[in-house]
Coordinates of all heavy atoms in Angstrom, one line a residue:
M1 N -30.7 -70.9 -20.8 CA -30.2 -69.8 -20.2 C -28.9 -70.1 -19.4 O -27.9 -69.5 -19.5 CB -31.2 -69.0 -19.5 CG -30.7 -67.7 -18.9 SD -30.6 -66.5 -20.1 CE -30.5 -65.0 -19.0
K2 N -29.0 -71.1 -18.5 CA -27.9 -71.5 -17.7 C -26.7 -72.0 -18.6 O -25.6 -71.7 -18.3 CB -28.3 -72.6 -16.7 CG -29.3 -72.1 -15.6 CD -29.5 -73.2 -14.7 CE -30.6 -72.8 -13.7 NZ -30.9 -73.9 -12.8
F3 N -27.0 -72.7 -19.6 CA -25.9 -73.3 -20.5 C -25.2 -72.1 -21.1 O -24.0 -72.1 -21.2 CB -26.5 -74.1 -21.6 CG -25.5 -74.7 -22.5 CD1 -24.6 -75.7 -22.1 CD2 -25.5 -74.2 -23.8 CE1 -23.6 -76.1 -23.0 CE2 -24.5 -74.7 -24.7 CZ -23.6 -75.6 -24.3
T4 N -25.9 -71.1 -21.6 CA -25.3 -70.0 -22.3 C -24.4 -69.2 -21.4 O -23.3 -68.8 -21.7 CB -26.4 -69.0 -22.9 OG1 -27.2 -69.7 -23.7 CG2 -25.8 -67.8 -23.7
M5 N -24.8 -69.0 -20.1 CA -24.0 -68.3 -19.1 C -22.8 -69.1 -18.8 O -21.7 -68.5 -18.6 CB -24.9 -68.0 -17.9 CG -26.0 -67.0 -18.1 SD -25.3 -65.4 -18.6 CE -24.8 -64.8 -17.1
M6 N -22.8 -70.4 -18.7 CA -21.7 -71.2 -18.5 C -20.7 -71.1 -19.6 O -19.5 -71.0 -19.4 CB -22.1 -72.7 -18.2 CG -20.9 -73.5 -17.8 SD -21.4 -75.2 -17.4 CE -21.8 -75.9 -19.0
V7 N -21.1 -71.2 -20.8 CA -20.2 -71.1 -22.0 C -19.5 -69.7 -22.0 O -18.3 -69.7 -22.2 CB -21.0 -71.4 -23.3 CG1 -20.1 -71.0 -24.5 CG2 -21.4 -72.8 -23.3
L8 N -20.3 -68.6 -21.7 CA -19.7 -67.4 -21.7 C -18.7 -67.2 -20.6 O -17.6 -66.7 -20.8 CB -20.7 -66.3 -21.7 CG -21.7 -66.1 -22.8 CD1 -22.7 -65.1 -22.5 CD2 -20.9 -65.7 -24.1
S9 N -19.0 -67.7 -19.4 CA -18.1 -67.7 -18.3 C -16.8 -68.5 -18.6 O -15.7 -68.0 -18.4 CB -18.8 -68.2 -17.1 OG -17.9 -68.2 -16.0
L10 N -17.0 -69.7 -19.2 CA -15.8 -70.5 -19.5 C -14.9 -69.7 -20.6 O -13.7 -69.7 -20.5 CB -16.2 -71.8 -20.1 CG -15.1 -72.8 -20.4 CD1 -14.3 -73.2 -19.2 CD2 -15.7 -74.1 -21.0
G11 N -15.6 -69.1 -21.6 CA -14.8 -68.4 -22.6 C -14.0 -67.3 -22.1 O -12.9 -67.0 -22.4
A12 N -14.6 -66.5 -21.1 CA -13.9 -65.4 -20.5 C -12.7 -65.9 -19.7 O -11.7 -65.2 -19.7 CB -14.9 -64.6 -19.6
T13 N -12.9 -67.1 -19.0 CA -11.9 -67.6 -18.2 C -10.7 -68.0 -19.0 O -9.5 -67.7 -18.8 CB -12.4 -68.8 -17.3 OG1 -13.4 -68.4 -16.5 CG2 -11.2 -69.4 -16.5
L14 N -10.9 -68.8 -20.2 CA -9.8 -69.2 -21.0 C -9.3 -68.1 -21.9 O -8.1 -68.1 -22.0 CB -10.5 -70.3 -22.0 CG -10.9 -71.6 -21.4 CD1 -11.5 -72.5 -22.4 CD2 -9.7 -72.3 -20.7
G15 N -10.1 -67.2 -22.3 CA -9.5 -66.0 -23.0 C -8.6 -65.2 -22.2 O -7.6 -64.7 -22.6
G16 N -9.0 -65.0 -20.9 CA -8.1 -64.2 -20.1 C -6.8 -64.9 -19.6 O -5.9 -64.3 -19.1
S17 N -6.8 -66.2 -19.7 CA -5.6 -67.0 -19.3 C -4.3 -66.7 -20.1 O -3.3 -66.9 -19.7 CB -5.9 -68.5 -19.3 OG -6.1 -69.0 -20.6
A18 N -4.6 -66.2 -21.3 CA -3.5 -65.8 -22.2 C -2.6 -64.7 -21.7 O -1.5 -64.7 -21.9 CB -4.0 -65.4 -23.6
T19 N -3.3 -63.9 -20.9 CA -2.5 -62.8 -20.2 C -1.5 -63.3 -19.1 O -0.6 -62.6 -18.8 CB -3.4 -61.7 -19.7 OG1 -4.2 -62.3 -18.6 CG2 -4.3 -61.1 -20.7
W20 N -1.7 -64.6 -18.6 CA -1.0 -65.1 -17.6 C 0.2 -65.9 -18.3 O 1.1 -66.4 -17.5 CB -1.7 -66.0 -16.7 CG -2.8 -65.2 -16.0 CD1 -4.1 -65.1 -16.3 CD2 -2.6 -64.5 -14.8 NE1 -4.7 -64.3 -15.4 CE2 -3.9 -64.0 -14.4 CE3 -1.6 -64.4 -13.9 CZ2 -4.1 -63.2 -13.3 CZ3 -1.7 -63.6 -12.8 CH2 -3.0 -63.0 -12.5
A21 N 0.3 -66.1 -19.6 CA 1.3 -66.8 -20.2 C 2.7 -66.1 -20.0 O 2.8 -64.9 -19.9 CB 1.1 -67.0 -21.7
D22 N 3.7 -67.0 -20.1 CA 5.2 -66.4 -20.0 C 5.4 -65.6 -21.2 O 4.9 -65.9 -22.3 CB 6.2 -67.6 -19.9 CG 6.2 -68.3 -18.6 OD1 5.8 -67.7 -17.7 OD2 6.6 -69.5 -18.6
P23 N 6.2 -64.5 -21.1 CA 6.6 -63.7 -22.3 C 7.5 -64.5 -23.2 O 8.0 -65.5 -22.8 CB 7.3 -62.6 -21.7 CG 7.8 -63.0 -20.4 CD 6.8 -64.1 -19.9
P24 N 7.5 -64.2 -24.5 CA 8.3 -65.0 -25.5 C 9.8 -64.9 -25.1 O 10.2 -64.0 -24.5 CB 8.1 -64.2 -26.8 CG 7.2 -63.1 -26.5 CD 6.8 -63.0 -25.1
K25 N 10.4 -66.0 -25.3 CA 11.8 -66.1 -25.0 C 12.7 -65.7 -26.2 O 12.3 -65.8 -27.3 CB 12.2 -67.6 -24.7 CG 11.4 -68.2 -23.6 CD 11.8 -67.7 -22.2 CE 11.1 -68.5 -21.1 NZ 9.9 -68.0 -20.7
T26 N 13.9 -65.2 -25.9 CA 14.8 -64.8 -27.0 C 15.3 -66.1 -27.6 O 15.7 -67.1 -26.9 CB 16.1 -64.0 -26.4 OG1 15.6 -62.9 -25.8 CG2 17.0 -63.7 -27.5
I27 N 15.3 -66.2 -28.9 CA 15.8 -67.3 -29.7 C 17.2 -67.1 -30.2 O 17.5 -66.0 -30.7 CB 14.9 -67.6 -30.9 CG1 13.4 -67.9 -30.4 CG2 15.4 -68.7 -31.7 CD1 12.5 -68.1 -31.5
R28 N 18.1 -68.0 -30.0 CA 19.4 -67.9 -30.5 C 19.6 -69.0 -31.4 O 19.3 -70.2 -31.2 CB 20.5 -68.0 -29.3 CG 20.3 -66.9 -28.4 CD 21.6 -66.9 -27.4 NE 21.3 -65.8 -26.4 CZ 21.8 -64.6 -26.5 NH1 22.5 -64.3 -27.6 NH2 21.7 -63.7 -25.6
V29 N 20.2 -68.6 -32.6 CA 20.5 -69.6 -33.6 C 22.0 -69.6 -33.9 O 22.7 -68.6 -34.0 CB 19.8 -69.2 -35.0 CG1 20.1 -70.2 -36.0 CG2 18.3 -69.2 -34.7
T30 N 22.6 -70.8 -33.9 CA 23.9 -71.0 -34.2 C 24.0 -72.0 -35.4 O 23.4 -73.0 -35.4 CB 24.7 -71.6 -33.1 OG1 24.6 -70.7 -32.0 CG2 26.2 -71.8 -33.4
E31 N 24.8 -71.6 -36.4 CA 24.8 -72.4 -37.6 C 26.3 -72.6 -38.0 O 27.2 -71.7 -37.9 CB 24.2 -71.8 -38.8 CG 24.1 -72.6 -40.1 CD 23.3 -72.1 -41.1 OE1 22.5 -71.2 -40.9 OE2 23.5 -72.5 -42.3
T32 N 26.7 -73.8 -38.3 CA 28.0 -74.2 -38.7 C 28.1 -74.6 -40.0 O 27.2 -75.5 -40.5 CB 28.6 -75.3 -37.7 OG1 28.5 -74.8 -36.4 CG2 30.1 -75.6 -38.1
V33 N 29.1 -74.1 -40.8 CA 29.1 -74.5 -42.2 C 30.6 -74.9 -42.5 O 31.5 -74.2 -42.1 CB 28.8 -73.2 -43.2 CG1 28.9 -73.6 -44.6 CG2 27.3 -72.8 -42.9
E34 N 30.8 -76.0 -43.3 CA 32.1 -76.4 -43.6 C 32.4 -75.8 -45.0 O 31.7 -76.1 -46.0 CB 32.2 -77.9 -43.6 CG 33.7 -78.4 -43.9 CD 33.8 -79.9 -43.9 OE1 33.0 -80.5 -43.2 OE2 34.8 -80.3 -44.4
I35 N 33.5 -75.1 -45.1 CA 33.9 -74.5 -46.5 C 35.2 -75.2 -46.8 O 36.1 -75.2 -46.1 CB 34.1 -73.0 -46.3 CG1 32.8 -72.3 -45.8 CG2 34.6 -72.4 -47.7 CD1 33.0 -70.9 -45.4
K36 N 35.2 -75.7 -48.0 CA 36.3 -76.4 -48.5 C 37.3 -75.5 -49.2 O 37.3 -75.4 -50.5 CB 35.9 -77.6 -49.4 CG 35.0 -78.7 -48.7 CD 35.0 -80.0 -49.3 CE 34.1 -80.9 -48.7 NZ 34.5 -81.6 -47.5
A37 N 38.0 -74.8 -48.3 CA 39.0 -73.8 -48.9 C 40.0 -73.6 -47.8 O 39.6 -73.8 -46.5 CB 38.4 -72.5 -49.3
P38 N 41.2 -73.1 -48.0 CA 42.2 -72.8 -47.0 C 41.7 -71.8 -46.0 O 41.1 -70.8 -46.4 CB 43.4 -72.3 -47.8 CG 43.2 -72.8 -49.1 CD 41.8 -72.9 -49.4
I39 N 41.8 -72.0 -44.7 CA 41.3 -71.1 -43.7 C 41.8 -69.6 -43.9 O 41.0 -68.7 -43.7 CB 41.6 -71.6 -42.3 CG1 40.9 -70.7 -41.2 CG2 43.1 -71.6 -42.0 CD1 39.4 -70.8 -41.2
D40 N 43.0 -69.4 -44.3 CA 43.5 -68.0 -44.5 C 42.8 -67.3 -45.6 O 42.5 -66.2 -45.5 CB 45.1 -68.1 -44.6 CG 45.5 -68.9 -45.8 OD1 44.9 -69.9 -46.1 OD2 46.7 -68.7 -46.3
K41 N 42.5 -68.0 -46.7 CA 41.8 -67.4 -47.8 C 40.3 -67.0 -47.4 O 39.8 -66.1 -47.7 CB 41.8 -68.3 -49.0 CG 41.2 -67.7 -50.2 CD 41.3 -68.6 -51.5 CE 40.8 -67.9 -52.7 NZ 41.1 -68.6 -53.9
V42 N 39.7 -68.0 -46.7 CA 38.3 -67.8 -46.2 C 38.3 -66.6 -45.2 O 37.5 -65.7 -45.4 CB 37.7 -69.1 -45.6 CG1 36.4 -68.8 -45.0 CG2 37.6 -70.2 -46.6
W43 N 39.2 -66.6 -44.3 CA 39.2 -65.6 -43.2 C 39.5 -64.2 -43.9 O 38.9 -63.2 -43.5 CB 40.2 -65.9 -42.2 CG 40.3 -64.8 -41.0 CD1 41.3 -64.0 -40.9 CD2 39.2 -64.4 -40.2 NE1 40.9 -63.1 -39.8 CE2 39.7 -63.4 -39.4 CE3 38.0 -64.9 -40.0 CZ2 38.9 -62.8 -38.4 CZ3 37.1 -64.3 -39.0 CH2 37.6 -63.3 -38.2
A44 N 40.4 -64.2 -44.9 CA 40.7 -62.9 -45.6 C 39.4 -62.3 -46.2 O 39.2 -61.1 -46.3 CB 41.8 -63.1 -46.6
T45 N 38.6 -63.2 -46.7 CA 37.3 -62.8 -47.3 C 36.3 -62.3 -46.3 O 35.6 -61.2 -46.4 CB 36.7 -63.9 -48.2 OG1 37.7 -64.2 -49.1 CG2 35.5 -63.4 -48.9
V46 N 36.0 -63.2 -45.3 CA 34.8 -62.9 -44.5 C 35.2 -62.0 -43.3 O 34.3 -61.3 -42.7 CB 34.2 -64.2 -43.9 CG1 33.8 -65.1 -44.9 CG2 35.2 -64.9 -42.9
S47 N 36.5 -61.7 -43.0 CA 36.9 -60.9 -41.9 C 36.7 -59.3 -42.3 O 36.7 -58.5 -41.4 CB 38.3 -61.2 -41.4 OG 39.2 -60.8 -42.5
D48 N 36.6 -59.0 -43.5 CA 36.5 -57.6 -43.9 C 35.0 -57.2 -43.7 O 34.1 -57.6 -44.4 CB 36.8 -57.5 -45.5 CG 36.7 -56.1 -45.9 OD1 36.5 -55.1 -45.1 OD2 36.9 -55.9 -47.1
F49 N 34.7 -56.6 -42.6 CA 33.4 -56.3 -42.0 C 32.6 -55.5 -43.1 O 31.4 -55.5 -43.0 CB 33.5 -55.7 -40.7 CG 32.2 -55.4 -40.0 CD1 31.4 -56.5 -39.6 CD2 31.8 -54.1 -39.7 CE1 30.2 -56.3 -39.0 CE2 30.5 -53.9 -39.1 CZ 29.8 -55.0 -38.7
D50 N 33.3 -54.8 -43.9 CA 32.6 -53.8 -44.8 C 32.7 -54.4 -46.3 O 32.8 -53.6 -47.2 CB 33.4 -52.5 -44.8 CG 32.7 -51.4 -45.5 OD1 31.4 -51.5 -45.6 OD2 33.3 -50.4 -45.9
S51 N 32.5 -55.7 -46.4 CA 32.6 -56.2 -47.8 C 31.6 -57.3 -48.1 O 31.9 -58.1 -49.1 CB 34.0 -56.7 -48.1 OG 34.3 -57.8 -47.4
L52 N 30.6 -57.5 -47.4 CA 29.7 -58.7 -47.5 C 29.1 -58.7 -48.9 O 29.0 -59.8 -49.6 CB 28.6 -58.7 -46.5 CG 27.7 -59.9 -46.5 CD1 28.4 -61.1 -46.1 CD2 26.5 -59.7 -45.4
N53 N 28.8 -57.6 -49.5 CA 28.2 -57.5 -50.8 C 29.2 -57.9 -51.9 O 28.8 -58.3 -53.0 CB 27.6 -56.1 -51.1 CG 28.7 -55.1 -51.2 OD1 29.6 -55.0 -50.3 ND2 28.7 -54.2 -52.1
K54 N 30.5 -57.9 -51.6 CA 31.5 -58.3 -52.6 C 31.6 -59.8 -52.8 O 32.0 -60.2 -53.9 CB 32.9 -57.8 -52.2 CG 33.0 -56.2 -52.2 CD 34.3 -55.7 -51.7 CE 34.3 -54.2 -51.6 NZ 35.4 -53.8 -50.9
W55 N 31.2 -60.5 -51.8 CA 31.3 -62.0 -51.9 C 29.9 -62.8 -51.7 O 29.9 -63.9 -52.0 CB 32.4 -62.6 -51.0 CG 32.2 -62.3 -49.5 CD1 32.6 -61.2 -48.8 CD2 31.4 -63.2 -48.6 NE1 32.2 -61.4 -47.5 CE2 31.5 -62.5 -47.4 CE3 30.7 -64.4 -48.7 CZ2 30.9 -63.0 -46.2 CZ3 30.2 -64.9 -47.6 CH2 30.3 -64.2 -46.4
H56 N 29.0 -62.1 -51.2 CA 27.7 -62.8 -51.0 C 26.7 -62.2 -52.0 O 26.4 -61.1 -52.0 CB 27.1 -62.5 -49.6 CG 26.0 -63.3 -49.2 ND1 24.8 -63.3 -49.8 CD2 25.9 -64.3 -48.2 CE1 24.0 -64.2 -49.2 NE2 24.6 -64.8 -48.3
P57 N 26.2 -63.1 -52.9 CA 25.3 -62.7 -54.0 C 24.0 -62.1 -53.6 O 23.3 -61.5 -54.4 CB 25.1 -64.0 -54.8 CG 25.3 -65.1 -53.8 CD 26.3 -64.6 -52.9
G58 N 23.5 -62.3 -52.3 CA 22.2 -61.8 -51.9 C 22.2 -60.4 -51.4 O 21.1 -59.8 -51.2
F59 N 23.4 -59.7 -51.3 CA 23.5 -58.3 -50.9 C 23.8 -57.3 -52.0 O 24.7 -57.5 -52.7 CB 24.4 -58.2 -49.7 CG 23.9 -58.9 -48.5 CD1 24.2 -60.3 -48.2 CD2 23.1 -58.2 -47.5 CE1 23.8 -60.9 -47.1 CE2 22.6 -58.9 -46.5 CZ 23.0 -60.2 -46.2
A60 N 23.1 -56.2 -52.0 CA 23.3 -55.2 -53.0 C 24.4 -54.2 -52.6 O 25.2 -53.7 -53.3 CB 22.0 -54.5 -53.3
S61 N 24.4 -53.9 -51.2 CA 25.3 -53.0 -50.6 C 25.7 -53.3 -49.2 O 24.9 -53.9 -48.5 CB 24.9 -51.5 -50.8 OG 23.8 -51.3 -50.0
D62 N 26.8 -52.9 -48.8 CA 27.3 -53.0 -47.4 C 28.0 -51.6 -47.1 O 29.0 -51.3 -47.8 CB 28.3 -54.2 -47.4 CG 28.9 -54.3 -46.0 OD1 28.9 -53.4 -45.1 OD2 29.5 -55.4 -45.8
E63 N 27.5 -50.9 -46.2 CA 28.0 -49.6 -45.9 C 28.4 -49.5 -44.4 O 27.6 -49.8 -43.5 CB 27.0 -48.5 -46.2 CG 27.4 -47.1 -45.8 CD 26.2 -46.1 -46.0 OE1 25.2 -46.5 -46.6 OE2 26.5 -45.0 -45.6
L64 N 29.6 -49.1 -44.1 CA 30.1 -48.9 -42.7 C 29.5 -47.6 -42.2 O 29.8 -46.5 -42.8 CB 31.6 -48.9 -42.6 CG 32.2 -49.2 -41.3 CD1 31.8 -50.5 -40.7 CD2 33.7 -49.1 -41.3
V65 N 28.6 -47.6 -41.2 CA 28.0 -46.3 -40.8 C 28.6 -45.8 -39.5 O 28.4 -44.6 -39.2 CB 26.4 -46.5 -40.6 CG1 25.8 -46.8 -42.0 CG2 26.1 -47.6 -39.7
S66 N 29.3 -46.6 -38.7 CA 30.0 -46.1 -37.6 C 31.1 -47.0 -37.2 O 31.0 -48.2 -37.4 CB 29.1 -45.8 -36.4 OG 28.6 -47.0 -35.9
G67 N 32.2 -46.5 -36.6 CA 33.3 -47.2 -36.2 C 34.2 -47.6 -37.4 O 34.0 -47.2 -38.5
G68 N 35.3 -48.5 -37.0 CA 36.2 -48.8 -38.0 C 36.0 -50.2 -38.4 O 35.5 -51.1 -37.7
N69 N 36.5 -50.5 -39.6 CA 36.4 -51.9 -40.2 C 37.2 -52.9 -39.4 O 38.4 -52.7 -39.1 CB 36.9 -51.9 -41.7 CG 36.6 -53.1 -42.4 OD1 35.8 -54.0 -41.9 ND2 37.1 -53.2 -43.6
G70 N 36.5 -53.8 -38.9 CA 37.1 -54.9 -38.0 C 37.2 -54.4 -36.6 O 37.8 -55.1 -35.7
K71 N 36.6 -53.3 -36.2 CA 36.7 -52.8 -34.8 C 35.5 -53.1 -34.1 O 34.3 -52.9 -34.6 CB 37.0 -51.3 -34.8 CG 38.3 -50.8 -35.5 CD 39.4 -51.3 -34.9 CE 40.7 -50.8 -35.6 NZ 41.9 -51.5 -35.2
V72 N 35.6 -53.8 -32.9 CA 34.3 -54.0 -32.1 C 33.6 -52.8 -31.9 O 34.1 -51.7 -31.6 CB 34.8 -54.7 -30.8 CG1 33.6 -54.8 -29.8 CG2 35.5 -56.0 -31.0
G73 N 32.2 -52.9 -32.0 CA 31.3 -51.8 -31.9 C 31.0 -51.2 -33.3 O 30.0 -50.4 -33.3
A74 N 31.7 -51.5 -34.3 CA 31.4 -50.9 -35.7 C 30.0 -51.4 -36.1 O 29.5 -52.4 -35.7 CB 32.4 -51.4 -36.7
V75 N 29.3 -50.5 -36.8 CA 28.0 -50.8 -37.3 C 28.0 -50.7 -38.8 O 28.5 -49.8 -39.4 CB 26.9 -49.9 -36.7 CG1 25.6 -50.1 -37.3 CG2 26.9 -50.0 -35.2
R76 N 27.4 -51.7 -39.5 CA 27.3 -51.6 -40.9 C 25.8 -51.8 -41.4 O 25.0 -52.4 -40.6 CB 28.1 -52.8 -41.6 CG 27.6 -54.2 -41.4 CD 28.4 -55.2 -42.0 NE 28.0 -56.6 -41.7 CZ 28.6 -57.7 -42.0 NH1 29.7 -57.7 -42.7 NH2 28.2 -58.9 -41.6
K77 N 25.4 -51.1 -42.5 CA 24.2 -51.1 -43.0 C 24.1 -52.0 -44.2 O 24.9 -51.8 -45.2 CB 23.7 -49.7 -43.3 CG 22.3 -49.7 -43.9 CD 21.7 -48.2 -44.1 CE 21.9 -47.8 -45.5 NZ 21.3 -46.5 -45.8
L78 N 23.3 -53.1 -44.2 CA 23.3 -54.0 -45.3 C 22.0 -53.9 -46.0 O 20.9 -53.7 -45.4 CB 23.4 -55.4 -44.7 CG 24.6 -55.7 -44.0 CD1 24.5 -57.1 -43.2 CD2 25.8 -55.8 -44.9
T79 N 22.1 -54.0 -47.4 CA 20.8 -53.9 -48.2 C 20.8 -55.2 -49.0 O 21.7 -55.5 -49.7 CB 20.9 -52.7 -49.1 OG1 21.0 -51.5 -48.4 CG2 19.6 -52.6 -50.0
I80 N 19.7 -55.9 -48.8 CA 19.4 -57.1 -49.5 C 19.0 -56.8 -50.9 O 18.2 -55.8 -51.1 CB 18.5 -58.0 -48.8 CG1 19.0 -58.4 -47.4 CG2 18.1 -59.2 -49.6 CD1 18.0 -59.1 -46.5
K81 N 19.4 -57.5 -51.9 CA 19.0 -57.3 -53.3 C 17.5 -57.3 -53.3 O 16.9 -58.4 -52.9 CB 19.6 -58.2 -54.3 CG 21.1 -58.0 -54.5 CD 21.7 -58.9 -55.6 CE 23.1 -58.5 -55.8 NZ 23.8 -59.3 -56.7
D82 N 16.8 -56.3 -53.9 CA 15.3 -56.3 -54.0 C 14.7 -56.5 -52.7 O 13.6 -57.1 -52.6 CB 14.8 -57.3 -55.0 CG 15.4 -57.1 -56.4 OD1 15.5 -56.0 -56.8 OD2 15.7 -58.1 -57.1
G83 N 15.3 -56.0 -51.6 CA 14.7 -56.2 -50.3 C 15.1 -55.2 -49.3 O 15.4 -54.0 -49.7
P84 N 14.9 -55.5 -48.0 CA 15.1 -54.5 -47.0 C 16.5 -54.1 -46.7 O 17.4 -54.7 -47.2 CB 14.4 -55.2 -45.7 CG 14.7 -56.6 -46.0 CD 14.5 -56.8 -47.5
T85 N 16.6 -53.1 -45.9 CA 17.9 -52.7 -45.3 C 17.9 -52.9 -43.8 O 16.9 -52.7 -43.2 CB 18.2 -51.2 -45.6 OG1 18.2 -51.0 -47.0 CG2 19.5 -50.7 -45.0
F86 N 19.1 -53.4 -43.2 CA 19.1 -53.5 -41.8 C 20.6 -53.3 -41.4 O 21.4 -53.2 -42.1 CB 18.6 -54.9 -41.4 CG 19.4 -56.1 -41.9 CD1 20.5 -56.7 -41.1 CD2 19.1 -56.6 -43.2 CE1 21.2 -57.7 -41.7 CE2 19.8 -57.7 -43.7 CZ 20.9 -58.2 -43.0
T87 N 20.8 -53.1 -40.1 CA 22.1 -52.9 -39.6 C 22.5 -54.0 -38.7 O 21.8 -54.7 -38.0 CB 22.2 -51.6 -38.8 OG1 21.3 -51.6 -37.7 CG2 21.9 -50.4 -39.7
E88 N 23.9 -54.2 -38.6 CA 24.5 -55.2 -37.7 C 25.6 -54.5 -37.0 O 26.3 -53.7 -37.5 CB 25.1 -56.3 -38.5 CG 24.1 -57.3 -39.1 CD 24.7 -58.4 -39.8 OE1 25.9 -58.3 -40.3 OE2 24.2 -59.5 -39.7
R89 N 25.8 -54.9 -35.7 CA 26.9 -54.4 -34.9 C 28.0 -55.5 -34.6 O 27.6 -56.6 -34.4 CB 26.4 -54.0 -33.5 CG 27.5 -53.4 -32.6 CD 27.0 -52.9 -31.2 NE 26.0 -51.9 -31.4 CZ 26.3 -50.5 -31.6 NH1 27.6 -50.2 -31.6 NH2 25.3 -49.7 -31.7
L90 N 29.2 -55.2 -34.8 CA 30.3 -56.1 -34.6 C 30.6 -56.3 -33.1 O 30.9 -55.3 -32.5 CB 31.5 -55.7 -35.3 CG 32.7 -56.6 -35.3 CD1 32.4 -58.0 -35.9 CD2 33.9 -56.0 -36.0
L91 N 30.2 -57.5 -32.5 CA 30.3 -57.6 -31.1 C 31.7 -58.1 -30.6 O 32.2 -57.8 -29.6 CB 29.3 -58.7 -30.6 CG 27.9 -58.3 -30.8 CD1 26.9 -59.4 -30.3 CD2 27.5 -57.0 -30.0
A92 N 32.4 -58.9 -31.5 CA 33.7 -59.5 -31.1 C 34.4 -59.8 -32.4 O 33.9 -60.1 -33.4 CB 33.5 -60.8 -30.3
F93 N 35.7 -59.6 -32.4 CA 36.6 -59.8 -33.5 C 37.9 -60.2 -33.1 O 38.6 -59.5 -32.2 CB 36.7 -58.4 -34.3 CG 37.5 -58.6 -35.6 CD1 36.9 -59.0 -36.8 CD2 38.9 -58.5 -35.7 CE1 37.5 -59.1 -38.0 CE2 39.5 -58.6 -36.8 CZ 39.0 -59.0 -38.0
D94 N 38.4 -61.4 -33.4 CA 39.7 -62.0 -33.1 C 40.3 -62.5 -34.3 O 40.0 -63.7 -34.7 CB 39.5 -63.0 -31.9 CG 40.8 -63.5 -31.4 OD1 41.8 -63.3 -32.1 OD2 40.8 -64.1 -30.3
A95 N 41.2 -61.7 -34.9 CA 41.8 -62.2 -36.1 C 42.7 -63.5 -35.9 O 42.8 -64.4 -36.7 CB 42.7 -61.2 -36.7
G96 N 43.3 -63.6 -34.7 CA 44.2 -64.8 -34.4 C 43.4 -66.1 -34.3 O 43.9 -67.2 -34.7
A97 N 42.1 -65.9 -33.8 CA 41.3 -67.2 -33.6 C 40.3 -67.3 -34.9 O 39.5 -68.2 -34.8 CB 40.5 -67.1 -32.3
S98 N 40.4 -66.4 -35.8 CA 39.5 -66.4 -36.9 C 38.0 -66.4 -36.5 O 37.2 -67.3 -36.8 CB 39.7 -67.6 -37.9 OG 41.1 -67.5 -38.4
F99 N 37.7 -65.4 -35.6 CA 36.4 -65.5 -35.0 C 35.7 -64.1 -35.0 O 36.5 -63.0 -34.8 CB 36.5 -65.8 -33.5 CG 35.3 -65.7 -32.8 CD1 34.2 -66.6 -32.8 CD2 35.1 -64.6 -32.0 CE1 33.0 -66.5 -32.1 CE2 33.9 -64.4 -31.2 CZ 32.9 -65.3 -31.3
L100 N 34.5 -63.9 -35.4 CA 33.8 -62.7 -35.3 C 32.4 -63.0 -34.9 O 31.9 -64.0 -35.1 CB 33.8 -61.8 -36.5 CG 33.3 -62.4 -37.9 CD1 31.8 -62.1 -38.0 CD2 34.0 -61.7 -39.0
S101 N 31.8 -62.0 -34.2 CA 30.4 -62.2 -33.7 C 29.6 -60.9 -34.0 O 30.1 -59.8 -33.8 CB 30.4 -62.4 -32.2 OG 29.1 -62.5 -31.6
L102 N 28.3 -61.1 -34.5 CA 27.5 -60.1 -35.0 C 26.2 -60.0 -34.2 O 25.8 -61.1 -33.7 CB 27.2 -60.2 -36.5 CG 28.5 -60.3 -37.3 CD1 28.0 -60.7 -38.8 CD2 29.2 -59.1 -37.4
Q103 N 25.6 -58.9 -34.2 CA 24.2 -58.8 -33.6 C 23.4 -57.8 -34.5 O 23.9 -56.7 -34.9 CB 24.3 -58.1 -32.2 CG 23.0 -57.9 -31.5 CD 23.1 -57.2 -30.3 OE1 24.0 -56.3 -30.1 NE2 22.3 -57.5 -29.3
D104 N 22.1 -58.2 -34.8 CA 21.2 -57.3 -35.5 C 21.1 -56.1 -34.6 O 21.0 -56.1 -33.4 CB 19.9 -58.0 -35.7 CG 19.9 -59.0 -36.8 OD1 20.9 -59.0 -37.6 OD2 19.1 -59.8 -36.8
H105 N 21.1 -55.0 -35.3 CA 21.1 -53.6 -34.5 C 19.8 -52.9 -34.8 O 19.2 -53.0 -35.8 CB 22.3 -52.9 -34.9 CG 22.5 -51.6 -34.1 ND1 22.4 -50.4 -34.7 CD2 22.9 -51.5 -32.8 CE1 22.6 -49.5 -33.8 NE2 23.0 -50.1 -32.7

């Protein structure tokens, strides 16, 4: 009887400790890819915020749902071929530096 009570007490203590754990952290992923093509040609293709489906084979459609093409704050709805739909917001766009930043929305 004493052994059973000790095991139950220990289980309740360990089980309850999960509530004291730190909340999950935000994960940020950065990926760099080298493309063997002239930068102006690559930038002309990828800088068009409303054309991912034209050059990326995994996307069925790309629809601008708010804002202007290449304008910070614009939101696009992407549909993966045979898959889900999600939106992205354009956070930063600098044509001179060939830089754009996106966030899942």
Side-chain angles (χ1 to χ4, degrees):
M1 179 81 163
K2 288 182 184 179
F3 178 72
T4 305
M5 292 299 282
M6 184 176 72
V7 171
L8 291 174
S9 176
L10 182 60
T13 302
L14 293 176
S17 67
T19 60
W20 296 94
D22 289 336
K25 305 286 190 269
T26 300
I27 297 174
R28 296 190 182 268
V29 177
T30 301
E31 184 174 344
T32 303
V33 177
E34 183 177 343
I35 300 171
K36 299 206 183 278
I39 186 69
D40 55 336
K41 186 173 182 175
V42 173
W43 180 247
T45 301
V46 301
S47 65
D48 186 1
F49 187 62
D50 189 25
S51 71
L52 188 60
N53 64 316
K54 293 176 186 168
W55 59 270
H56 193 296
F59 289 91
S61 68
D62 178 345
E63 175 188 351
L64 198 60
V65 293
S66 70
N69 194 3
K71 303 295 182 190
V72 173
V75 175
R76 67 181 175 187
K77 181 171 99 174
L78 299 167
T79 303
I80 298 174
K81 288 185 179 176
D82 300 322
T85 297
F86 61 96
T87 58
E88 288 183 328
R89 179 180 301 276
L90 185 60
L91 298 178
F93 185 90
D94 185 341
S98 301
F99 172 81
L100 58 89
S101 177
L102 308 170
Q103 176 185 39
D104 287 339
H105 186 252

